[in-house]
Amino acid sequence: MKDQEITKMEFLLTLNDNIVVQRFFNVRGFNPRAKNSMELYQFIKALKEELQYYLKMKTVVYMMDNMDAIMADPTIMDTSFTDGPEIFNIFVKVGEQTLCHRTFDGKLFPPKVRYTVDVRPFLKDVLRELTDIFSHHDLSYEYLDFDLSR
C-alpha cells in the first residue's frame, strides 16, 4: 500500500461566534468530491437532528428539576436573554475553506441548556464518520435526477 497524502480537516460547532467545540482531524486519501456527496449531507443532517434532540432532552430534564421554580416564576424559561438570534453552526472545513455548514436555532432552548451543551460524548463518532466519508471514494453524487458532483 502506497503512502497516501494526509489532509488536515476541522470540525467546528459554534453558538453565534462562540466556539462550543473545535477539533482538527486527519484524513488519509482525502476525496475532494466528498463535499458534494449524499453521505456527507445525510450525516450532517442527522448530526444536527441528534444535537437538537439532545438539547430538547436536556430542556426536559432542566424543566423537571426546576418545576417548582418555573411554576412560581414562568419567566425563568425566557429564552431571550440576548438581543438578536442565537444560532448553532456546524462547520466542516479544510483550511479556511468551508466544505459544509449547517445551522439551527438555539433560542428554542433555555439559556441554561444552550450555554452548557456538551458534545464530547458524540465527538469521537463524529470525527470517525467524517474521516470515513472524506477518505471514501465510492460515494453517491445523485439525488433524484440531479447530479451533485459539480
PDB file of all heavy atoms in Angstrom, residues 12-24:
ATOM      1  N   LEU A  12     -16.139  22.096  13.543  1.00  0.00           N
ATOM      2  CA  LEU A  12     -16.367  23.248  14.407  1.00  0.00           C
ATOM      3  C   LEU A  12     -17.852  23.389  14.696  1.00  0.00           C
ATOM      4  O   LEU A  12     -18.671  23.367  13.776  1.00  0.00           O
ATOM      5  CB  LEU A  12     -15.836  24.509  13.717  1.00  0.00           C
ATOM      6  CG  LEU A  12     -15.986  25.850  14.423  1.00  0.00           C
ATOM      7  CD1 LEU A  12     -15.175  25.886  15.723  1.00  0.00           C
ATOM      8  CD2 LEU A  12     -15.544  26.979  13.506  1.00  0.00           C
ATOM      9  N   LEU A  13     -18.182  23.516  15.975  1.00  0.00           N
ATOM     10  CA  LEU A  13     -19.545  23.806  16.405  1.00  0.00           C
ATOM     11  C   LEU A  13     -19.492  25.115  17.168  1.00  0.00           C
ATOM     12  O   LEU A  13     -18.711  25.250  18.116  1.00  0.00           O
ATOM     13  CB  LEU A  13     -20.097  22.688  17.297  1.00  0.00           C
ATOM     14  CG  LEU A  13     -21.492  22.924  17.901  1.00  0.00           C
ATOM     15  CD1 LEU A  13     -22.555  22.959  16.806  1.00  0.00           C
ATOM     16  CD2 LEU A  13     -21.814  21.845  18.925  1.00  0.00           C
ATOM     17  N   THR A  14     -20.295  26.089  16.725  1.00  0.00           N
ATOM     18  CA  THR A  14     -20.325  27.387  17.401  1.00  0.00           C
ATOM     19  C   THR A  14     -21.753  27.745  17.773  1.00  0.00           C
ATOM     20  O   THR A  14     -22.708  27.240  17.190  1.00  0.00           O
ATOM     21  CB  THR A  14     -19.763  28.514  16.503  1.00  0.00           C
ATOM     22  OG1 THR A  14     -20.613  28.682  15.363  1.00  0.00           O
ATOM     23  CG2 THR A  14     -18.340  28.228  16.054  1.00  0.00           C
ATOM     24  N   LEU A  15     -21.869  28.625  18.752  1.00  0.00           N
ATOM     25  CA  LEU A  15     -23.135  29.285  19.070  1.00  0.00           C
ATOM     26  C   LEU A  15     -22.870  30.749  18.780  1.00  0.00           C
ATOM     27  O   LEU A  15     -22.104  31.401  19.494  1.00  0.00           O
ATOM     28  CB  LEU A  15     -23.539  29.072  20.531  1.00  0.00           C
ATOM     29  CG  LEU A  15     -24.846  29.736  20.974  1.00  0.00           C
ATOM     30  CD1 LEU A  15     -26.021  29.263  20.129  1.00  0.00           C
ATOM     31  CD2 LEU A  15     -25.119  29.465  22.446  1.00  0.00           C
ATOM     32  N   ASN A  16     -23.448  31.246  17.711  1.00  0.00           N
ATOM     33  CA  ASN A  16     -23.077  32.537  17.119  1.00  0.00           C
ATOM     34  C   ASN A  16     -21.575  32.505  16.855  1.00  0.00           C
ATOM     35  O   ASN A  16     -21.108  31.631  16.163  1.00  0.00           O
ATOM     36  CB  ASN A  16     -23.527  33.718  17.975  1.00  0.00           C
ATOM     37  CG  ASN A  16     -25.041  33.915  17.920  1.00  0.00           C
ATOM     38  OD1 ASN A  16     -25.719  33.364  17.071  1.00  0.00           O
ATOM     39  ND2 ASN A  16     -25.570  34.699  18.830  1.00  0.00           N
ATOM     40  N   ASP A  17     -20.819  33.423  17.419  1.00  0.00           N
ATOM     41  CA  ASP A  17     -19.372  33.448  17.178  1.00  0.00           C
ATOM     42  C   ASP A  17     -18.578  32.767  18.284  1.00  0.00           C
ATOM     43  O   ASP A  17     -17.341  32.841  18.294  1.00  0.00           O
ATOM     44  CB  ASP A  17     -18.891  34.900  17.025  1.00  0.00           C
ATOM     45  CG  ASP A  17     -19.448  35.551  15.768  1.00  0.00           C
ATOM     46  OD1 ASP A  17     -19.661  34.832  14.773  1.00  0.00           O
ATOM     47  OD2 ASP A  17     -19.684  36.774  15.784  1.00  0.00           O
ATOM     48  N   ASN A  18     -19.257  32.124  19.223  1.00  0.00           N
ATOM     49  CA  ASN A  18     -18.582  31.473  20.346  1.00  0.00           C
ATOM     50  C   ASN A  18     -18.360  29.994  20.042  1.00  0.00           C
ATOM     51  O   ASN A  18     -19.301  29.268  19.725  1.00  0.00           O
ATOM     52  CB  ASN A  18     -19.418  31.611  21.624  1.00  0.00           C
ATOM     53  CG  ASN A  18     -19.674  33.066  21.963  1.00  0.00           C
ATOM     54  OD1 ASN A  18     -18.744  33.852  22.071  1.00  0.00           O
ATOM     55  ND2 ASN A  18     -20.930  33.425  22.094  1.00  0.00           N
ATOM     56  N   ILE A  19     -17.129  29.550  20.174  1.00  0.00           N
ATOM     57  CA  ILE A  19     -16.792  28.160  19.888  1.00  0.00           C
ATOM     58  C   ILE A  19     -17.315  27.262  21.001  1.00  0.00           C
ATOM     59  O   ILE A  19     -17.030  27.485  22.175  1.00  0.00           O
ATOM     60  CB  ILE A  19     -15.269  27.989  19.725  1.00  0.00           C
ATOM     61  CG1 ILE A  19     -14.787  28.740  18.483  1.00  0.00           C
ATOM     62  CG2 ILE A  19     -14.898  26.511  19.650  1.00  0.00           C
ATOM     63  CD1 ILE A  19     -13.283  28.756  18.314  1.00  0.00           C
ATOM     64  N   VAL A  20     -18.105  26.262  20.620  1.00  0.00           N
ATOM     65  CA  VAL A  20     -18.568  25.236  21.555  1.00  0.00           C
ATOM     66  C   VAL A  20     -17.546  24.106  21.561  1.00  0.00           C
ATOM     67  O   VAL A  20     -17.109  23.643  22.602  1.00  0.00           O
ATOM     68  CB  VAL A  20     -19.971  24.711  21.176  1.00  0.00           C
ATOM     69  CG1 VAL A  20     -20.386  23.552  22.069  1.00  0.00           C
ATOM     70  CG2 VAL A  20     -20.993  25.839  21.227  1.00  0.00           C
ATOM     71  N   VAL A  21     -17.166  23.655  20.375  1.00  0.00           N
ATOM     72  CA  VAL A  21     -16.117  22.642  20.230  1.00  0.00           C
ATOM     73  C   VAL A  21     -15.432  22.833  18.883  1.00  0.00           C
ATOM     74  O   VAL A  21     -16.069  23.177  17.893  1.00  0.00           O
ATOM     75  CB  VAL A  21     -16.672  21.203  20.380  1.00  0.00           C
ATOM     76  CG1 VAL A  21     -17.599  20.850  19.241  1.00  0.00           C
ATOM     77  CG2 VAL A  21     -15.572  20.182  20.498  1.00  0.00           C
ATOM     78  N   GLN A  22     -14.126  22.621  18.891  1.00  0.00           N
ATOM     79  CA  GLN A  22     -13.328  22.707  17.674  1.00  0.00           C
ATOM     80  C   GLN A  22     -12.318  21.570  17.729  1.00  0.00           C
ATOM     81  O   GLN A  22     -11.574  21.458  18.696  1.00  0.00           O
ATOM     82  CB  GLN A  22     -12.598  24.046  17.599  1.00  0.00           C
ATOM     83  CG  GLN A  22     -11.704  24.195  16.394  1.00  0.00           C
ATOM     84  CD  GLN A  22     -10.969  25.535  16.396  1.00  0.00           C
ATOM     85  OE1 GLN A  22     -10.584  26.044  17.451  1.00  0.00           O
ATOM     86  NE2 GLN A  22     -10.783  26.100  15.219  1.00  0.00           N
ATOM     87  N   ARG A  23     -12.344  20.728  16.712  1.00  0.00           N
ATOM     88  CA  ARG A  23     -11.403  19.617  16.658  1.00  0.00           C
ATOM     89  C   ARG A  23     -10.826  19.524  15.249  1.00  0.00           C
ATOM     90  O   ARG A  23     -11.527  19.639  14.259  1.00  0.00           O
ATOM     91  CB  ARG A  23     -12.071  18.278  16.988  1.00  0.00           C
ATOM     92  CG  ARG A  23     -12.504  18.131  18.412  1.00  0.00           C
ATOM     93  CD  ARG A  23     -11.305  18.032  19.358  1.00  0.00           C
ATOM     94  NE  ARG A  23     -11.721  17.740  20.710  1.00  0.00           N
ATOM     95  CZ  ARG A  23     -12.124  18.634  21.603  1.00  0.00           C
ATOM     96  NH1 ARG A  23     -12.171  19.901  21.272  1.00  0.00           N
ATOM     97  NH2 ARG A  23     -12.459  18.266  22.820  1.00  0.00           N
ATOM     98  N   PHE A  24      -9.516  19.289  15.214  1.00  0.00           N
ATOM     99  CA  PHE A  24      -8.835  19.043  13.959  1.00  0.00           C
ATOM    100  C   PHE A  24      -8.627  17.536  13.838  1.00  0.00           C
ATOM    101  O   PHE A  24      -8.398  16.856  14.836  1.00  0.00           O
ATOM    102  CB  PHE A  24      -7.495  19.779  13.920  1.00  0.00           C
ATOM    103  CG  PHE A  24      -7.666  21.271  13.891  1.00  0.00           C
ATOM    104  CD1 PHE A  24      -7.644  22.008  15.066  1.00  0.00           C
ATOM    105  CD2 PHE A  24      -7.866  21.933  12.691  1.00  0.00           C
ATOM    106  CE1 PHE A  24      -7.823  23.379  15.045  1.00  0.00           C
ATOM    107  CE2 PHE A  24      -8.040  23.319  12.663  1.00  0.00           C
ATOM    108  CZ  PHE A  24      -8.017  24.036  13.842  1.00  0.00           C
TER     109      PHE A  24
END
